[in-house]
Amino acid sequence: MRVEVKVFCGLERCIPGAEFGKPMLVEISEGFNGRMLLEKLSIPEKMAFSFLVNSVHKSLDETLSDGDRISIFPPVGGG
């Protein structure tokens, strides 16, 4: 199975060759969830504040499906 992953706001530094907002295909196996994907991508869980699957906020425990589009954002600060 493959999912399309986009990372933002510095998370691209966790993944060799990743670029801000550019989609990358990631091979996963049946039953993979968000936590497993973060581990595979070497993104610390505390850095994944917003995890979207097909443009909808999901729990990291959500099981992923072939073709899902995932966007991962870190916590952001500002005023």
Side-chain angles (χ1 to χ4, degrees):
M1 294 187 352
R2 284 186 185 166
V3 293
E4 179 184 280
V5 179
K6 294 180 187 179
V7 291
F8 299 89
C9 303
L11 291 179
E12 62 276 4
R13 292 184 292 233
C14 297
I15 307 163
E19 295 181 50
F20 177 94
K22 296 269 179 137
M24 56 188 156
L25 291 177
V26 178
E27 290 282 337
I28 61 170
S29 57
E30 196 73 31
F32 235 69
N33 65 25
R35 287 184 205 291
M36 296 164 81
L37 180 64
L38 291 178
E39 185 176 328
K40 180 178 179 96
L41 297 175
S42 299
I43 297 174
E45 189 173 325
K46 67 181 180 178
M47 294 301 297
F49 179 76
S50 214
F51 188 81
L52 287 81
V53 179
N54 301 320
S55 301
V56 177
H57 285 276
K58 297 288 182 172
S59 160
L60 292 176
D61 296 319
E62 183 84 20
T63 300
L64 303 173
S65 299
D66 188 41
D68 279 347
R69 291 189 203 136
I70 297 146
S71 297
I72 307 169
F73 295 87
V76 291

